[in-house]
Amino acid sequence: MCENNAILEAQNLTKKFKISKNSTLTACDDISLKFYQGKTLGIVGESGCGKSTFIKMLSLITKPTSGEIMFRGCDITKLKGEEKRNNHSHIQMIFQNPLEALPPRMKIRDIICEPLLNFKKIKNHEKDEIARKYLEMVELPEEFALRYPHHMSGGQRQRIGIARALVLEPELIICDEATSALDVSVQKNIIELLIRLQKQKQISIGFICHDIVLVSQISHQVAVMYLGNIVEILPGKDLHKYAIHPYTKGLLHSVFYLGMDKSTKIDKLTGEVPSPVNLPNGCPFQSRCSDAKQLCREIKPKLREYQEGHMVACHLLPIDKPV
């Protein structure tokens, strides 16, 4: 991918939460990732791995403990006041549960147009026209403008969430498990809509999910996250064939998907996930890795280049090119 097309870059992003006088929870540990214009970066991992904390830092909902978030050359973690508020128009989110994310007492027209009114980009009398435009964009009839969220299905509500995210013409949209609460057939339609809109508008998408098969199918690049660490980064199309980190392979081997070799054994990941409050020395995956060596228990592996476009954090691989 061309470096010049990176619109947002997380650099050594870390988030620690003080939970008691002597205890600190490390949710994200030294994460560096890039989002490219018109491309989708998928971030996948088990529940509790730090995905949601990471995206909350990107959207400035949560303040990082350390590190930088560079958007178009500016470190947005240092923004305050009106500058910080204005930055929200560039980075928008689509949430997991649209019923909870949409104000229940507001009509769809008002929900879609509220961001524009907040930023004083339209007048009240323009709301009907704007609502029609964005309802059409997400493939909903214009009469939905006067409905309330509870009068709509889950898939329709998520389309409204997409419309609300798009209305400010952001450069990056972050989907936080945006399809996990939907039926599979509806999920497919929402994914197809997002892909079409991305091509039309050249939007960057951060797709956060625990479904590694879905992530690999729709993402140009996939980052695999475990216990607050990025353990592997590679192109989505190569995930099934070239994934090499023991955790990534464990995720792939624990699910069934169409097109897989029917003779493939379905294995579930075993072992206890260490507490993020009491992280072990060395590799964070050591307690669940059957091939872990003494080195894995002593020194934490760095994310290094394995092949072009493919980076792995693992002592078991013949890697000698640090990032």
Side-chain angles (χ1 to χ4, degrees):
M1 292 182 180
C2 177
E3 293 287 330
N4 294 332
N5 285 338
I7 64 167
L8 184 141
E9 180 178 358
Q11 298 178 348
N12 309 112
L13 214 55
T14 296
K15 181 61 183 179
K16 297 178 182 290
F17 294 96
K18 192 77 173 178
I19 59 174
S20 69
K21 183 178 179 180
N22 299 314
S23 299
T24 300
L25 185 151
T26 303
C28 294
D29 191 4
D30 197 31
I31 295 177
S32 295
L33 288 174
K34 295 180 181 180
F35 294 80
Y36 294 90
Q37 184 172 358
K39 304 295 183 182
T40 297
L41 171 64
I43 303 177
V44 65
E46 295 168 292
S47 297
C49 71
K51 304 186 300 294
S52 293
T53 299
F54 176 67
I55 63 170
K56 286 178 181 177
M57 287 191 285
L58 297 184
S59 55
L60 303 183
I61 295 173
T62 298
K63 185 177 180 180
T65 303
S66 62
E68 298 178 331
I69 304 171
M70 305 301 295
F71 178 78
R72 296 295 189 191
C74 172
D75 182 4
I76 62 176
T77 65
K78 294 181 168 58
L79 298 180
K80 295 181 180 179
E82 192 64 17
E83 284 186 329
K84 181 178 179 180
R85 178 177 177 273
N86 287 333
N87 181 74
H88 291 305
S89 66
H90 303 301
I91 303 170
Q92 289 287 294
M93 289 186 65
I94 301 170
F95 298 94
Q96 178 176 354
N97 189 336
L99 188 58
E100 293 182 359
L102 303 178
R105 297 184 180 182
M106 291 178 66
K107 293 180 179 178
I108 299 305
R109 175 194 60 191
D110 301 314
I111 290 173
I112 292 174
C113 294
E114 184 183 31
L116 292 171
L117 291 169
N118 286 343
F119 282 93
K120 296 181 170 57
K121 293 190 174 185
I122 64 168
K123 305 292 185 183
N124 268 309
H125 69 268
E126 299 176 279
K127 288 197 297 185
D128 289 334
E129 180 183 352
I130 295 295
R132 283 195 299 269
K133 174 184 174 182
Y134 282 90
L135 284 170
E136 180 181 359
M137 191 177 294
V138 296
E139 300 171 352
L140 290 176
E142 62 179 65
E143 56 264 28
F144 276 39
L146 299 179
R147 291 191 181 186
Y148 292 93
H150 61 275
H151 293 149
M152 307 172 73
S153 69
Q156 290 168 344
R157 286 192 288 263
Q158 197 58 290
R159 289 174 187 267
I160 298 303
I162 295 171
R164 183 176 64 175
L166 287 173
V167 76
L168 288 171
E169 299 293 332
E171 295 187 65
L172 171 64
I173 287 181
I174 300 172
C175 302
D176 184 13
E177 302 277 5
T179 60
S180 63
L182 306 175
D183 293 339
V184 174
S185 59
V186 178
Q187 182 182 91
K188 178 177 179 291
N189 294 333
I190 295 296
I191 293 295
E192 290 174 347
L193 174 63
L194 286 170
I195 292 173
R196 178 176 64 78
L197 291 169
Q198 182 180 53
K199 290 179 179 178
Q200 288 178 359
K201 295 178 170 293
Q202 282 297 293
I203 306 169
S204 298
I205 294 178
F207 195 84
I208 316 304
C209 191
H210 61 267
D211 185 339
I212 194 168
V213 176
L214 176 60
V215 167
S216 69
Q217 291 173 343
I218 70 167
S219 302
H220 297 90
Q221 191 177 43
V222 174
V224 182
M225 195 168 182
Y226 181 77
L227 207 60
N229 296 267
I230 300 298
V231 298
E232 187 163 16
I233 303 173
L234 72 167
K237 62 182 176 59
D238 295 340
L239 190 63
H240 292 284
K241 189 174 182 180
Y242 295 113
I244 198 166
H245 192 280
Y247 177 62
T248 310
K249 292 197 291 186
L251 288 177
L252 288 169
H253 291 163
S254 65
V255 297
F256 176 85
Y257 58 94
L258 294 176
M260 71 181 292
D261 184 345
K262 302 302 184 292
S263 64
T264 302
K265 183 181 178 181
I266 304 296
D267 295 318
K268 65 178 182 179
L269 284 163
T270 59
E272 292 293 324
V273 181
S275 168
V277 179
N278 187 24
L279 291 172
N281 294 324
C283 176
F285 191 61
Q286 58 172 280
S287 64
R288 303 175 75 186
C289 179
S290 59
D291 297 319
K293 311 296 183 185
Q294 187 60 34
L295 177 64
C296 304
R297 299 181 179 92
E298 295 175 352
I299 301 174
K300 181 179 176 179
K302 295 181 179 180
L303 195 63
R304 299 169 182 261
E305 188 174 50
Y306 179 69
Q307 293 177 340
E308 185 176 356
H310 187 174
M311 301 193 317
V312 191
C314 183
H315 288 310
L316 304 177
L317 306 175
I319 307 169
D320 56 12
K321 295 168 67 177
V323 175

